[in-house]
Amino acid sequence: GETVEVWLSVQEVPCAPDGYSRTCMTFNGTVPGPTIHANWGDNLVIHVTNNLPSNGTAIHWHGVRQLGSVEYDGVPGVTQCAIAPGDTLTYQFRVTQYGSTWYHSHFSLQYAEGLFGGMVLNGPATADYDEDLGSLFLQDWSHVPAFTRWNVAKAGAPPPLDNGLINGTNTFDCSTVPDDTNCVGGGKKFEAVFEAGKKYRLRLVNVAIDGVFHFSIDGHTLTVIANDLVPIVPYTTDGIQITIGQRYDVIVEANAAPGDYWLRGGWVSACNGLPTSDGITGIIRYDNSSTADPTSTSTVVVGTSCDDEPAASLVPHLALDVTNMPVITTEDLAWKIENSYFKWTINTSSLVLDWGNPTLLQIFNGEDVFPTPYNVVEVAPSGTGPEWAVLVIQDLSTFGISHPIHLHGHDFWVLAQERDTFNGTTTAFNTINPPRRDVAVLPGNGYLAIAFLLDNPGAWLVHCHIAWHASQGLSLEFVESQSSITVDQADKDAFNDTCNAWNEWKQNE
Ligand code: C2O
């Protein structure tokens, strides 16, 4: 592999992505940030400079396995100290997967302010297409900083959001906020041009903080070729539901009658607190000189269920059964979620992270991580052969809302997703080549059972990707095979420099 070097400056800029002026947090001044391109096997070297005036940051490469490089996973309080204003951290890791993903700030609610971008990791061809249109980001958007909304979230209610964006752009009707001088207008809808007969690859990413989208293009079908970073046996559908953090790679053939068509991110209103309108739209044109609004209509039904695409559709290309592998017992890893006013808890505790004293620092310093008052769990293989951890998360909250559960450092096999109470046995588990991915829905009032291979020593987060919920403690942390965590001296030095800079800045703040 080659070395691919990237420079990212985290900075605030004035923005008006939908014609409403505010301040965005950006990578290099744009929302979305620059796309990172690399090939399977490359070494990525990414210099992140924090140019925010008064905030720490830390950047996570969502879905990237970080095999042997846990110190670059980008979780402040777990795998690193926050990067202080003015400081730079160089992330270095190997690309061991291929497909589509995204990177985003993992510091508080910063990605809601614009701190995200695409990652396109090229590997062996898994589909035929003529043109790659790159990432297509579906996003919810607030006209005031998400941090302001946070006060509403803390009081227990899902905070209202104002709009949605496709690739960082949309229109907004200023007449709905008559005296608001920040509404300057001039927002644009996302547009792409199709040439009749060509096949296009779109890399769908849901980068929302609270929204589930149902993606479709009027008059066209989608051939789905990958979920998250896992190639699947292609299937064809007229629309696809995508929850926060998930990706779907789709091929669209320009085989409709030439004209203008709506591209839709339908809002699945049951799953979030967004406006219950028709969702967000962009435009596909066959003639790039056309400026008309499409008149196309959709026959796609946006359901009210927050569930994932059915497991039967998401068949990994590379068949891997979970059947004949030793399974670590489920007992110790059965979690309960309860909502007590504004905190989400797992086994009665909420994860609280100290940005200046991450788990890895404690490990490097030879301090005892355990016992901890929080959800930090030790997992380690007992010795022989590939070994699995099976995690069952049961939702016992009174709300019954679904949660997109994301695991760091691993892909997981989705064994069960039921609107039911887990009966303590594995009889309902799907172990024959089940879906494999890095975000899956925990159905409201139900349970999610996932298995992952214990092959990556480190400290890894598993959390709900609804930004409010993660900040409300709906996370737990695995310390995997602690004694096997190895880090080069140079990486350890960089790690310590980041911590020293952060703690110094904190003191002088
Ligand atoms: Cu997309 Cu823990 O992150």
Side-chain angles (χ1 to χ4, degrees), residues 16 20 60 64 128 200 205 230 233 243 262 341 366 416 418 428 430 438 453-454 492 496:
Y20 188 100
H60 173 57
V64 171
D128 254 352
Y200 296 90
V205 193
V230 177
V233 177
T243 195
W262 292 117
Y341 306 109
E418 303 289 337
N430 169 18
D438 59 56
L453 269 173
L454 293 173
K492 228 181 236 182
N496 286 326

Side-chain angles (χ1 to χ4, degrees), residues 357-379:
N357 188 21
T359 309
L360 274 192
L361 182 64
Q362 298 163 42
I363 292 172
F364 293 166
N365 288 344
E367 289 163 18
D368 284 329
V369 178
F370 301 98
T372 102
Y374 304 126
N375 298 315
V376 185
V377 182
E378 193 163 19
V379 283

Side-chain angles (χ1 to χ4, degrees), residues 60-63 73 75 102-106 111 245 406-408 438-439 461-465:
H60 173 57
W61 323 93
H62 181 114
D73 194 41
V75 184
W102 60 307
Y103 61 98
H104 61 84
S105 169
H106 216 290
Y111 85 82
H406 172 48
L407 172 67
H408 288 220
D438 59 56
V439 180
L461 214 56
V462 52
H463 65 93
C464 175
H465 219 299

Side-chain angles (χ1 to χ4, degrees), residues 114-272:
L115 279 176
F116 66 88
M119 294 182 88
V120 172
L121 310 174
N122 299 307
T126 51
D128 254 352
Y129 54 89
D130 302 299
E131 223 178 285
D132 190 341
L133 295 180
S135 311
L136 193 129
F137 298 104
L138 301 165
Q139 183 187 1
D140 48 19
W141 186 243
S142 165
H143 287 162
V144 298
F147 304 102
T148 311
R149 303 291 197 201
W150 170 233
N151 294 325
V152 180
K154 273 200 291 201
L161 293 166
D162 300 295
N163 204 354
L165 308 175
I166 298 179
N167 281 7
T169 186
N170 202 356
T171 52
F172 183 78
D173 180 1
C174 285
S175 73
T176 60
V177 288
D179 299 315
D180 193 333
T181 53
N182 291 321
C183 205
V184 293
K188 282 198 177 63
K189 288 207 180 286
F190 167 82
E191 291 191 15
V193 176
F194 278 5
E195 196 179 309
K198 279 197 172 173
K199 287 183 181 164
Y200 296 90
R201 179 179 188 157
L202 285 171
R203 301 163 183 269
L204 310 177
V205 193
N206 182 336
V207 298
I209 55 172
D210 201 11
V212 176
F213 292 98
H214 195 93
F215 179 84
S216 62
I217 303 174
D218 293 359
H220 296 77
T221 53
L222 315 171
T223 301
V224 188
I225 59 165
N227 64 205
D228 300 346
L229 284 168
V230 177
I232 60 171
V233 177
Y235 73 99
T236 298
T237 180
D238 60 4
I240 192 157
Q241 184 142 317
I242 176 165
T243 195
I244 305 174
Q246 290 182 333
R247 288 86 67 211
Y248 285 104
D249 282 39
V250 299
I251 308 291
V252 185
E253 190 174 353
N255 57 6
D260 302 311
Y261 294 91
W262 292 117
L263 167 156
R264 300 176 193 268
W267 264 325
V268 186
S269 56
C271 314
N272 52 64

Side-chain angles (χ1 to χ4, degrees), residues 10 60 86 193 282 350 403 411 414 506:
V10 176
H60 173 57
V193 176
S350 301
H403 300 275
D411 287 333
V414 182
K506 261 316 237 192

